[in-house]
């Protein structure tokens, strides 16, 4: 009788907190493996792995994962690399991680990525449906791996598996838009329109101004349009310099405003759609910032405009424009 050892390792997506990593040892029984490269039936094994993962998600009322090539390729490349260079970790010896591998194989920017790893020594050489089920069971019995498998905000899946000598490694990869950084764990999403998000930002900013005895800002359709004109695409840091904001005003409005100021913010892996929690998060970033907070809490400003955009893949950007109307006209 030969003892087989299966090691599991998980890397969870960064949801505005440090990545958690854990290792767990499980014991299984079986026969010694023989040398093998990528399994000939790899496409079928991936489909079986997807079915197993989605069966567990379905039991918990979660939407199914979708198999995608960037995640498949990233997973298989990591499985091969761990065998070739004899290591077992989320980070390769040259410092590349699951995010790097996903991007290298065509994964889009803005999505969070997570990874589950398993390593088995002395496992049966044949990689069949039973082996896939055993690996899935091991991951589901481990809290960290289970969390990746049952994270609602992850919606895509990849799988890699390879054997060399008496060693088998398997890799599950996941990606998704995740959720708003302002959305608490377990809090349901509340999608909002850009206008609704702007109204929430104005409410939150005015609440902060009220605590300091400052006059409320008024909403401004004109400044909303300016914010929309200078709003960067998600993932692009630049926005129009404050000195050039006047050029975004309609010609007939330029003489009406004495001052304009801009604040911008962005995030990745923060949900597919604009959410009410985004309004809170963007507002907090600006109010807590040394320079942006000074602008939002300036007693001289009179009006606020807002624009935001979500790209559907987890990237979001937002801009608020503060203005002061002239009083000498």
């Amino acid at each position: 009788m030969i003892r087989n050892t299966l090691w599991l390792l998980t890397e969870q997506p960064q949801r505005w907190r440090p990545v958690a990593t854990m290792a767990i040892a499980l014991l299984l029984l079986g026969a010694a493996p023989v040398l093998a490269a990528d399994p000939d039936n790899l496409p079928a094994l991936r489909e079986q792995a997807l079915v197993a993962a989605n069966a567990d998600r379905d039991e918990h009322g979660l939407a199914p994962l979708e198999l995608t090539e960037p995640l498949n390729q990233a997973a298989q490349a990591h499985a091969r690399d761990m065998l070739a260079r004899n290591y077992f970790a989320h980070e390769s010896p040259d410092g590349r991680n699951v995010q790097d591998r996903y991007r290298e194989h065509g994964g889009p920017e803005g999505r969070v990525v997570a990874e589950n790893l398993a390593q088995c020594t002395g496992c049966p050489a044949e990689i069949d449906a039973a082996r896939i089920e055993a690996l899935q069971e091991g991951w589901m019995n481990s809290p960290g791996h289970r969390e990746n498998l049952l994270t609602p905000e992850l919606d895509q899946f990849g799988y890699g598996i390879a054997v060399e000598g008496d060693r088998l490694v398997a890799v599950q990869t996941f990606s998704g838009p995740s959720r708003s950084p302002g959305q608490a764990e377990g809090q349901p999403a509340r999608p909002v329109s850009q206008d609704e998000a702007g109204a929430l930002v104005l409410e939150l900013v005015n609440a902060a101004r009220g605590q300091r005895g400052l006059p409320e800002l008024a909403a401004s359709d004109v400044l909303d349009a300016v914010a929309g004109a200078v709003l960067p695409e998600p993932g692009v840091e630049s926005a129009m310099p404050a000195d050039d904001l006047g050029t975004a005003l309609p010609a007939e409005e330029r003489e009406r405003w004495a001052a304009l100021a801009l604040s911008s913010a962005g995030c990745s892996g923060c949900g597919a759609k604009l959410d009410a929690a985004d309004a809170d998060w963007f507002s907090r970033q600006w109010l807590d910032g040394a320079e942006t907070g000074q602008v939002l809490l300036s007693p001289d400003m009179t009006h606020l405009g807002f624009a935001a955009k979500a790209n559907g893949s987890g990237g979001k950007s937002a801009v608020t424009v503060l203005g002061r109307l002239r009083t000498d006209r």
Side-chain angles (χ1 to χ4, degrees):
M1 184 176 295
I2 298 175
R3 172 179 290 181
N4 310 313
T5 304
L6 173 66
W7 286 90
L8 305 178
L9 199 65
T10 182
E11 183 159 11
Q12 297 173 294
Q14 294 187 23
R15 298 191 197 88
W16 311 98
R17 66 188 184 200
V19 173
T21 303
M22 64 176 65
I24 296 174
L26 302 178
L27 299 181
L28 302 174
L29 298 177
V34 297
L35 287 173
D38 291 354
D40 293 334
N41 59 340
L42 183 56
L45 295 175
R46 283 176 171 155
E47 289 294 337
Q48 292 163 0
L50 177 67
V51 169
N54 281 337
D56 286 322
R57 286 177 67 90
D58 184 65
E59 286 185 6
H60 293 82
L62 299 176
L65 300 168
E66 175 189 2
L67 203 64
T68 69
E69 275 311 295
L71 288 171
N72 278 338
Q73 293 171 20
Q76 193 64 25
H78 193 39
R80 294 190 197 109
D81 191 53
M82 286 189 288
L83 289 177
R85 293 200 276 179
N86 193 29
Y87 72 97
F88 181 61
H90 294 291
E91 186 172 298
S92 65
D94 53 5
R96 291 161 59 251
N97 60 27
V98 63
Q99 287 275 2
D100 299 324
R101 293 185 286 273
Y102 180 59
R103 303 287 180 255
E104 288 168 7
H105 289 89
E109 295 288 340
R111 294 176 70 85
V112 296
V113 186
E115 183 177 76
N116 286 344
L117 303 182
Q119 174 178 253
C120 181
T121 57
C123 288
E126 183 181 2
I127 306 175
D128 55 13
R131 173 61 51 199
I132 298 299
E133 287 287 349
L135 289 165
Q136 176 67 17
E137 183 179 353
W139 279 317
M140 282 296 291
N141 287 334
S142 161
H145 307 87
R146 180 186 179 92
E147 181 177 348
N148 282 344
L149 281 156
L150 301 182
T151 294
E153 295 84 9
L154 298 176
D155 57 13
Q156 294 183 351
F157 181 74
Y159 202 84
I161 190 166
V163 176
E164 185 175 74
D166 67 345
R167 184 175 173 218
L168 174 151
V169 293
V171 181
Q172 287 183 325
T173 49
F174 310 84
S175 78
S178 194
R179 61 172 177 265
S180 165
Q183 184 180 345
E185 190 84 35
Q187 174 186 335
R190 185 162 73 88
V192 294
S193 67
Q194 179 175 261
D195 288 345
E196 290 170 329
L200 289 170
V201 168
L202 180 61
E203 179 182 343
L204 290 164
V205 171
N206 278 335
R209 290 174 66 89
Q211 291 174 358
R212 293 161 177 80
L214 299 173
E216 288 192 352
L217 301 173
S220 169
D221 292 340
V222 171
L223 297 187
D224 284 345
V226 172
V230 302
L231 178 68
E233 289 295 321
V236 178
E237 295 184 3
S238 61
M240 179 179 288
D243 291 346
D244 297 332
L245 275 178
T247 62
L249 282 167
E252 65 275 13
E253 288 285 337
R254 291 173 188 170
E255 295 301 319
R256 297 185 63 234
W257 296 92
L260 296 175
L262 174 148
S263 298
S264 63
C267 61
S268 63
C270 50
K273 299 178 180 179
L274 282 178
D275 190 89
D278 293 321
D280 179 80
W281 188 79
F282 285 127
S283 298
R284 298 303 166 199
Q285 303 311 299
W286 292 322
L287 287 167
D288 293 342
E291 295 182 3
T292 53
Q294 186 175 2
V295 171
L296 265 65
L297 299 175
S298 168
D300 296 330
M301 292 300 182
T302 59
H303 290 74
L304 180 146
F306 176 83
K309 181 182 294 185
N311 65 8
S313 295
K316 294 176 183 175
S317 60
V319 164
T320 186
V321 174
L322 276 289
R324 183 176 81 249
L325 280 175
R326 293 186 183 277
T327 58
D328 57 353
R329 293 180 59 82

